[in-house]
Amino acid sequence: MAPGTVAVIGGGVIGSLVARQIVHEHPSGTVLLLDRDAVGSGASRRSAGLHFPRGASERVRRMSAYSQEFYEQLKADRPASPIYPVGMSVLSQGSWDDLAGIYHEPVRRDDAPAALDACGAEVRVPPQTSVWDVRRAHYADVHRLVQTLVTGLRPRVGVREGVRVTALEPDGRGVALALGTGERLTVDRAVLAPGPWLGAPAWADLVAPLGARIKKIVALHIDRPADEADRALVFHDEDAFLLPLAYRGHWLFSYTCQDWDVDPDQVGADLAEADVERARECLSRYAPALALRCTSGRVFCDAYSPSREPIVRALDPDGRVVFAGAANGSGYRLAPAIAAEAVQLLYPGVKDPSVKDPSVKGSLR
């Protein structure tokens, strides 16, 4: 299948990395990157950007390892990239077998104290809870990283910002697109990376069989200084974490919100009273002194798959439209691997002989 013209719909971290993967693997093709807003302004703008080697299934662990290597290479190639290594400790009542099946090589701290220091306050280690150190964690300013990536792509990618796709229709010859600007065009293939905008009229019917749902995500900011020496703390049993955002000068507390089936166009960017109360209740179990310092934060949403694994799948019989997303709140962490799977699915068995970029990674399969 010749490269042809590909439209990547969605300019978040997944869409931008799909576009990057295409131009590196298939440089003779033409790529259009379209977003209804500025690139990186959706869920990517509000992402905590935490990456650590974790996965509840073999596929997700493989994807996490792939993405880890990608980001480490990107940081090595471009030291100014807004990617920041961070030490990490995991608190859990689980056994080594439980944790080793999820995290890469966790190391138990047998000398762990009854309390850890974070945000200048004590974080209690509950009874029967162990502390595990996990290596190779980092976090990123995802919004700025996406902008940097797209800036580098512009010489080879047509970037359309503030352009909504109002209709998408695949057939045996290509994919017809209608844009909010009134323009109509036909491309050979399309990758749909819409983040939480699964219900957009242009593709709602195509996406509905995937069974993905939209969940609200809330993170609170803690008004305490953070620097590069601070460690992130993961409360595994609560599915929550404390992250020192040194580049912003404060800490972030993320907990699991259970508000499902929300509309991304209706979820406000401001915190609700219930958001703050639930975050404080969760954090109080470990660090009551910090709970009252959660006075600001960020609100967004993301797509979740039924299997809790990212979805990379053709949406039409001819394989001309590929969906890439539903990353279950781990869009940044798994984006490089999702992009690689999407491009493999878009061009099955095709290798462009002109590719000479050694930074392009191989198959995930």
Side-chain angles (χ1 to χ4, degrees), residues 321-335:
V321 179
V322 171
F323 179 89
N328 312 292
S330 297
Y332 169 74
R333 192 167 68 86
L334 301 178

Side-chain angles (χ1 to χ4, degrees), residues 154-355:
R154 283 184 183 273
R156 293 188 284 173
V157 172
V159 180
R160 305 278 191 92
E161 296 176 289
V163 176
R164 186 187 300 265
V165 176
T166 57
L168 182 155
E169 186 66 38
D171 60 32
R173 296 166 295 175
V175 182
L177 302 177
L179 309 181
T181 58
E183 184 179 1
R184 295 181 178 275
L185 59 136
T186 298
V187 296
D188 295 285
R189 283 168 290 281
V191 177
L192 185 59
W197 283 275
L198 301 182
W203 52 75
D205 291 343
L206 282 172
V207 169
L210 300 177
R213 300 171 66 189
I214 308 301
K215 186 171 80 70
K216 184 178 179 180
I217 299 178
V218 181
L220 277 290
H221 295 169
I222 300 175
D223 186 20
R224 287 287 181 92
D227 62 42
E228 295 177 357
D230 290 319
R231 296 180 67 82
L233 299 180
V234 175
F235 308 117
H236 176 80
D237 303 334
E238 304 281 356
D239 196 17
F241 60 83
L242 275 169
L243 176 64
L245 296 178
Y247 78 95
R248 288 179 58 98
H250 67 82
W251 287 70
L252 177 144
F253 176 65
S254 174
Y255 75 99
T256 301
C257 178
Q258 293 295 345
D259 292 351
W260 286 92
D261 301 318
V262 298
D263 182 343
D265 288 323
Q266 299 299 320
V267 173
D270 57 314
L271 294 167
E273 181 180 359
D275 299 329
V276 178
E277 289 179 351
R278 286 180 291 199
R280 288 175 173 171
E281 179 184 2
C282 181
L283 184 56
S284 292
R285 299 167 199 159
Y286 293 92
L290 296 179
L292 293 178
R293 300 191 72 93
C294 295
T295 56
S296 61
R298 59 186 72 180
V299 179
F300 54 113
C301 52
D302 201 5
Y304 284 67
S305 70
S307 68
R308 295 301 181 267
E309 294 187 0
I311 298 174
V312 181
R313 189 178 305 171
L315 298 181
D316 65 305
D318 297 310
R320 291 188 176 273
V321 179
V322 171
F323 179 89
N328 312 292
S330 297
Y332 169 74
R333 192 167 68 86
L334 301 178
I338 294 171
E341 285 195 2
V343 175
Q344 289 172 11
L345 189 57
L346 201 65
Y347 302 104
V350 175
K351 176 65 176 177
D352 192 320
S354 68
V355 174

